[in-house]
Amino acid sequence: MKLKKLAQLVALMGVVGPVVAQEATPPAMQRVEVTGSSIKRVAKEGALPVQVITFDQIEKQGITTTEQLVRTLSANGTGADNMTSGNNVFGADADRVSGGASFASLRGLGPSSTLVLLNGRRIATHGASGKSVDLNSIPLGAISRVEILKDGASAIYGTDAIGGVINFILKTNYSGVEASVSTNDTQAGGGATRRASLLAGTGSLESDRYNIMASLTVDKAQQLNGRDRSFVNGYQPGRGLSPDTTGTPFANQMAGTGTALGTSFQLPGDPNKYLQANPLSFQGKCDTIAGMSQYQTALWKDVTSPLRTTYSCAYDYGADYVLQFPVERANLLSRGTFQLAPDHRMFVEVLGSRTKATAILTPMQVQATVANKNLYPVGGAYYQDLSAYIPSFDRTKPISYKWRANDVGNRTQENTTDNARVLVGFEGNFGKWDYKAGISRAESSTKTKLTDGYSYTDKLYAALASGIINPWVGAGQSQTEAAKQLIESTKFRGDFQHGKTTLTQIDGSVSGELFQLPAGALAMAAGFDLRREGYSFAQDVDATQILLSPGNAALKDASRTVKAVYAELLVPVTKGLEMQLAIRRDDYSLVGATTNPKVAFRYQPTDFLLFRGSASKGFLAPSFQQLYSGSLSQELPNGVIDQEGCAKHPGVPEYCAIDRLDYRTGGNTNLKPETSKQGSVGFVIEPFKGYSASFDYWAINTKDRILNRTPQIVLANYQALNQYIHRNPDGTIEYVQAGWINAAGSRVRGLDVGLRGEGKIQDAKWTATLDGTYMDSFKFAEYQGQEYQELVGKFYTRDLYLRWKHNASFGVSRGDWSGLLIQSFSSGYKDQLPNGGKGAPPPGFKPDVSSYTTYNLSGTYTGFKNTTITVGIQNLFDRDPPFTAHNVDEVVGAGWDPRVADPRGRSLSFQLKYKFM
């Protein structure tokens, strides 16, 4: 049996294992270049695993955004790189300037470790954060296919691809006019999407010697609110989940020198000195205000001091999160290709996109304190007298309080990102030698406007001190018109900040056969890549004047030059054994030079069995923001316990119940590059015609991994990281130094599985596929000297490293009809323990988060002339996300986790495509 059939199922550098089923068509026997190699040859199975997804497969799944597509990849991490999870200001690696952006993270190693390419070339990273390519900038409507190189540290494209490469291949040489519209509506309401695209082209390279094509895609996603889904519920104390915040719409009073509660208060017969109080808590009526509840002190007693919470109300602000915020996108691609001579072509490619994403966060939490000069005044119309509950309450003093300022409105940011790239390229061949060269300029700029929910600090504090604004609005009540107008007068609306990344690139390569060896031709490729990268970030106003304003500290124009050369050899050792040898040298003007090799092999002992493997080194330079961003002062959201200080001073609030602890973040000019060693080994087998399987075991070891260390990590590891805890002369914490560091590293192991079968029953064809990833181990050390910890199958605040993920499909086609059923599966994991893992959880707490399985069903009809109609149901059985008791401050989601699940529920999609020519 020949391996001809298997060659149809694999790309040049590995088995395809498609995400969804589609009728296979034999590839043309021509020399092609596939992601992972610069050497063109007749397409066949190779040494490296490459997964290929066609545009037809994408459409049949009902996928409308590149983020949705990347999330279907089993090799992609289960992290907070999606738009919903990124809509946060707290948590590990929270990116305060990427609202509206989404990123890929192969192997869960982070967006910076995944190289995203467009037609094999780099594009500008996100204009605000600068860390990686925003998936929203990819023109999905113009995509021909997507190739995912799962073997990382590419010596061809860049050794910064530690996790792998995602290469989006655009349509070329298109002739005709094609229009399509699609909709996707949820059964439960909210979160609908709309999309329209137009593709047009004229000319034929073969007959006219030119082709000009253009593609325009416009899509829109509507808002989906947390309170529109019943599973979004942060108050389930019996299951180990309740809000860990005392910033409530009906404010909690706080103790403080010169305030009505004094420095603390005691109740008759109780020796404890308490620091907060709420009359609704004393009455057992916290839940009379929407979203509020009695603070569950027992659930958080070792995380937040009971001295603050026992007589306080809490607020389920996690349920107020916007699960899908409004997004509008427009992508335009234009490409002209000209046949200069029979074997030589020139092309000009222009790409432009605009994404407008309205990031909506919960209302700000405000504290009225002596220092802030915003205490509620004695004699104010809403002065709240607690003397009936607290004998020591002093009605002659103003009131200090903590208030969730719902009346100020949701913090709303309008993020507009514009991407553009102009590329001029040449490609062709001289006999058996192929060449390509190009020069390009790419830019990504992001502008952020604050449209609601933000106020000038001094204006808002003065307004609160006036007593006109009521921080204790009861059920059925509202602020007076005077208070509403006063609140409005404090707000800032307008341009807030902007960032820009630039990329100027000149590249070229040649490939061909050097000479004949006994086992075949020795082929080679050599190339260069010269890049000039730039980044800038600045505020349009003085951000320090706006309360709880988002964003990072300003970073003036920074730039660096990267010079790279690489070479590749394809060596036929014997008739069945072939070696791929590659080496790349990168020279970063601000970081230094590095040389990294790659070795791969493919061995075919029989016509139905193939062995393959690779070994390589990687090098990831720190980004501009990681190196040079300025220091930014922030506050932790909860009453924090200083473990070291509280042990020495038990019961003292300044150590055991810190109200708002300051911490600082920023760039680190002492960062070292992240390096990696990695490899893979596997085999492909086709025991019977039409049935194939691939298994690839891979391993990645990183060193000096670049991470944003959180203040919570510093405090939790105070013995080892005490130098980052800065204290006042009296021993209390002044601030915690967090920010970018070189962590010890990670050790990752896993297995990729690809299965495919196809056949025919009478005149009906069927195809079945499975693409899955088994995560064997992900060990990680947060700081140098810490023992490596196993994270697979456990809750973690960055990524979830699930044991198994897969996408499986079964498709049937007959005549003008075809149908497709897709199953997506993610395994469960150990949940986050309440109370920081101390003490016994409540009886209803289940330590295991269940697995998550969804089914998508679609049908396509092509019986009408030039028309294709596709109807689909996503989440066929309306599966809710699995319950999790994680703390919403660290990971977005109240009772669920957007890193794993889609909150939209069952939805119906409809697409109509018509070809005019």
Side-chain angles (χ1 to χ4, degrees):
M1 181 189 301
K2 299 296 183 182
L3 208 57
K4 178 181 178 182
K5 189 64 177 179
L6 183 57
Q8 299 172 9
L9 310 178
V10 296
L12 176 61
M13 303 310 296
V15 72
V16 173
V19 173
V20 298
Q22 173 178 294
E23 181 181 351
T25 57
M29 300 302 288
Q30 59 182 358
R31 290 189 299 172
V32 297
E33 179 184 339
V34 178
T35 302
S37 175
S38 285
I39 298 174
K40 287 188 176 183
R41 50 182 169 156
V42 174
K44 64 176 181 177
E45 69 288 346
L48 305 177
V50 173
Q51 179 180 344
V52 178
I53 306 171
T54 68
F55 184 68
D56 181 64
Q57 296 168 350
I58 295 170
E59 288 191 312
K60 287 184 177 180
Q61 289 189 82
I63 291 173
T64 57
T65 69
T66 311
E67 177 187 299
Q68 291 175 339
L69 170 64
V70 170
R71 292 190 70 171
T72 67
L73 304 178
S74 65
N76 193 59
T78 310
D81 305 303
N82 58 82
M83 298 178 74
T84 301
S85 296
N87 194 27
N88 195 18
V89 294
F90 298 110
D93 292 330
D95 191 341
R96 293 163 56 90
V97 294
S98 66
S102 60
F103 307 97
S105 176
L106 293 177
R107 308 303 188 197
L109 291 172
S112 298
S113 297
T114 298
L115 185 55
V116 176
L117 305 175
L118 196 62
N119 280 352
R121 289 183 167 91
R122 294 176 184 247
I123 53 179
T125 55
H126 183 244
S129 69
K131 67 181 180 181
S132 189
V133 172
D134 178 14
L135 296 176
N136 291 301
S137 67
I138 303 297
L140 193 62
I143 293 296
S144 173
R145 65 184 186 278
V146 184
E147 297 176 349
I148 301 97
L149 175 62
K150 299 180 181 180
D151 183 84
S154 170
I156 306 303
Y157 303 107
T159 47
D160 52 347
I162 291 175
V165 179
I166 302 179
N167 191 7
F168 293 88
I169 310 298
L170 300 175
K171 295 181 174 75
T172 58
N173 199 25
Y174 178 85
S175 181
V177 178
E178 176 183 300
S180 69
V181 293
S182 63
T183 66
N184 189 296
D185 293 274
T186 62
Q187 178 178 321
T193 63
R194 305 285 184 265
R195 180 179 174 186
S197 63
L198 180 66
L199 175 64
T202 183
S204 169
L205 288 178
E206 291 75 17
S207 59
D208 302 320
R209 300 186 61 179
Y210 77 91
N211 176 260
I212 299 176
M213 58 163 287
S215 170
L216 174 64
T217 302
V218 178
D219 60 272
K220 182 177 182 179
Q222 298 177 358
Q223 183 171 328
L224 175 60
N225 296 312
R227 298 199 183 275
D228 293 337
R229 294 293 184 267
S230 60
F231 58 80
V232 182
N233 179 5
Y235 183 71
Q236 302 182 59
R239 305 173 77 178
L241 175 63
S242 71
D244 179 25
T245 179
T246 56
T248 51
F250 190 95
N252 288 292
Q253 290 197 28
M254 299 193 306
T257 302
T259 68
L261 287 181
T263 56
S264 63
F265 67 90
Q266 290 181 279
L267 300 180
D270 187 344
N272 292 315
K273 295 181 179 181
Y274 296 100
L275 304 173
Q276 287 186 187
N278 194 307
L280 297 180
S281 176
F282 285 110
Q283 300 171 43
K285 295 182 179 180
C286 287
D287 58 0
T288 59
I289 306 297
M292 284 178 48
S293 58
Q294 174 62 45
Y295 190 97
Q296 301 298 299
T297 299
L299 202 58
W300 295 106
K301 62 185 179 63
D302 294 303
V303 175
T304 302
S305 172
L307 300 178
R308 288 202 175 277
T309 64
T310 301
Y311 295 105
S312 295
C313 297
Y315 182 63
D316 185 12
Y317 64 98
D320 281 343
Y321 272 95
V322 174
L323 310 184
Q324 177 179 291
F325 45 78
V327 181
E328 297 178 6
R329 303 181 189 89
N331 287 280
L332 173 67
L333 169 72
S334 179
R335 180 184 174 101
T337 308
F338 308 94
Q339 194 79 37
L340 303 179
D343 296 322
H344 305 279
R345 294 175 300 281
M346 170 187 175
F347 62 90
V348 179
E349 189 176 281
V350 178
L351 172 68
S353 69
R354 166 167 287 192
T355 301
K356 180 186 289 186
T358 304
I360 304 172
L361 288 82
T362 55
M364 69 175 72
Q365 181 175 277
V366 178
Q367 292 197 165
T369 65
V370 172
N372 289 337
K373 299 180 181 179
N374 56 354
L375 299 175
Y376 194 85
V378 176
Y382 309 107
Y383 188 89
Q384 189 181 74
D385 185 357
L386 296 186
S387 57
Y389 309 101
I390 302 172
S392 61
F393 188 87
D394 188 348
R395 290 173 290 182
T396 67
K397 298 289 194 306
I399 298 173
S400 175
Y401 59 90
K402 185 183 295 184
W403 180 45
R404 176 69 62 172
N406 287 4
D407 293 306
V408 180
N410 287 327
R411 288 169 285 178
T412 307
Q413 309 163 20
E414 184 182 278
N415 301 285
T416 302
T417 300
D418 293 316
N419 292 276
R421 187 182 79 165
V422 178
L423 167 66
V424 179
F426 300 86
E427 58 187 17
N429 61 81
F430 295 95
K432 293 185 178 181
W433 286 87
D434 300 293
Y435 74 89
K436 64 177 182 178
I439 180 170
S440 62
R441 170 73 176 185
E443 295 183 356
S444 177
S445 62
T446 299
K447 298 179 180 179
T448 299
K449 292 182 178 181
L450 303 186
T451 59
D452 199 13
Y454 291 95
S455 293
Y456 286 103
T457 304
D458 56 351
K459 290 184 178 181
L460 180 62
Y461 284 178
L464 295 177
S466 71
I468 297 174
I469 298 172
N470 181 10
W472 300 287
V473 175
Q477 299 177 344
S478 63
Q479 297 286 351
T480 64
E481 285 302 316
K484 293 177 182 179
Q485 292 177 15
L486 182 58
I487 291 173
E488 184 63 32
S489 70
T490 71
K491 290 185 179 181
F492 169 82
R493 287 189 172 93
D495 295 338
F496 178 69
Q497 63 191 15
H498 60 275
K500 183 178 181 180
T501 62
T502 59
L503 175 64
T504 303
Q505 182 176 19
I506 302 176
D507 66 87
S509 67
V510 295
S511 67
E513 297 179 357
L514 292 175
F515 50 82
Q516 289 289 324
L517 294 175
L522 175 68
M524 66 83 65
F528 69 92
D529 178 9
L530 304 178
R531 307 194 305 274
R532 182 72 173 176
E533 301 173 345
Y535 176 68
S536 64
F537 183 83
Q539 277 84 24
D540 300 299
V541 296
D542 184 356
T544 63
Q545 302 300 310
I546 301 170
L547 185 61
L548 297 180
S549 61
N552 293 335
L555 173 60
K556 293 183 178 180
D557 291 342
S559 62
R560 66 185 178 197
T561 301
V562 184
K563 305 172 184 177
V565 292
Y566 60 89
E568 177 186 5
L569 285 177
L570 200 63
V571 185
V573 181
T574 65
K575 185 177 180 180
L577 176 62
E578 184 178 82
M579 300 292 296
Q580 180 191 8
L581 309 175
I583 191 168
R584 182 183 179 96
R585 181 172 177 80
D586 295 270
D587 188 349
Y588 288 78
S589 61
L590 301 177
V591 179
T594 177
T595 301
N596 295 282
K598 184 161 194 168
V599 179
F601 77 91
R602 62 175 297 277
Y603 175 55
Q604 182 184 331
T606 68
D607 56 3
F608 61 87
L609 181 63
L610 168 73
F611 294 97
R612 61 187 177 193
S614 70
S616 59
K617 291 185 176 181
F619 176 92
L620 175 62
S623 70
F624 292 114
Q625 187 185 102
Q626 292 166 347
L627 286 169
Y628 305 120
S629 61
S631 179
L632 185 69
S633 296
Q634 301 173 70
E635 293 179 333
L636 285 173
N638 301 319
V640 176
I641 297 175
D642 171 9
Q643 297 184 42
E644 180 181 13
C646 190
K648 297 177 181 178
H649 308 277
V652 179
E654 288 77 11
Y655 299 95
C656 304
I658 305 173
D659 184 48
R660 299 287 282 184
L661 182 62
D662 291 333
Y663 70 97
R664 299 178 185 177
T665 61
N668 180 359
T669 56
N670 295 318
L671 284 177
K672 295 182 290 185
E674 181 177 327
T675 59
S676 69
K677 294 181 180 179
Q678 52 216 101
S680 65
V681 62
F683 66 92
V684 184
I685 186 171
E686 187 191 33
F688 308 102
K689 183 178 180 180
Y691 297 86
S692 65
S694 68
F695 300 88
D696 291 280
Y697 188 80
W698 49 269
I700 305 172
N701 290 347
T702 66
K703 182 181 178 182
D704 296 322
R705 189 176 176 193
I706 302 171
L707 287 178
N708 193 12
R709 182 171 55 207
T710 67
Q712 291 93 334
I713 291 295
V714 176
L715 291 169
N717 298 277
Y718 67 92
Q719 300 96 331
L721 303 176
N722 205 39
Q723 67 270 32
Y724 300 104
I725 302 175
H726 297 262
R727 296 184 179 274
N728 296 305
D730 62 359
T732 59
I733 297 178
E734 179 186 6
Y735 69 92
V736 175
Q737 181 63 55
W740 295 102
I741 62 160
N742 285 113
S746 59
R747 301 167 185 171
V748 194
R749 307 285 185 270
L751 176 71
D752 290 330
V753 178
L755 305 175
R756 183 179 178 94
E758 62 180 16
K760 191 172 183 180
I761 301 176
Q762 295 180 348
D763 57 349
K765 299 177 181 178
W766 64 269
T767 309
T769 68
L770 182 143
D771 177 80
T773 297
Y774 176 85
M775 185 71 76
D776 181 44
S777 176
F778 196 113
K779 292 184 177 180
F780 172 66
E782 187 78 48
Y783 55 87
Q784 297 288 349
Q786 184 187 44
E787 183 179 351
Y788 278 72
Q789 303 175 32
E790 180 61 71
L791 300 178
V792 173
K794 301 177 181 178
F795 177 88
Y796 194 52
T797 55
R798 287 189 174 92
D799 279 31
L800 291 172
Y801 302 101
L802 305 181
R803 183 68 69 185
W804 173 257
K805 293 168 61 178
H806 77 246
N807 284 273
S809 70
F810 182 79
V812 178
S813 63
R814 179 182 179 184
D816 297 325
W817 294 90
S818 63
L820 181 65
L821 177 65
I822 303 169
Q823 181 201 61
S824 298
F825 174 84
S826 299
S827 61
Y829 55 94
K830 294 293 182 182
D831 204 355
Q832 184 181 31
L833 294 174
N835 194 30
K838 299 177 182 179
F845 173 75
K846 294 182 179 180
D848 297 307
V849 178
S850 64
S851 61
Y852 183 62
T853 307
T854 60
Y855 293 86
N856 297 342
L857 179 65
S858 68
T860 301
Y861 179 68
T862 59
F864 300 116
K865 184 179 180 181
N866 299 332
T867 302
T868 301
I869 300 173
T870 300
V871 179
I873 302 176
Q874 288 72 46
N875 197 349
L876 181 63
F877 299 108
D878 200 20
R879 171 73 188 276
D880 282 343
F883 172 81
T884 169
H886 72 74
N887 181 4
V888 69
D889 277 334
E890 296 176 331
V891 178
V892 171
W896 74 292
D897 197 324
R899 296 177 296 176
V900 174
D902 184 349
R904 299 173 75 247
R906 182 188 291 128
S907 63
L908 175 67
S909 63
F910 174 82
Q911 183 187 64
L912 174 65
K913 181 188 295 185
Y914 184 79
K915 294 184 178 181
F916 295 90
M917 300 171 59

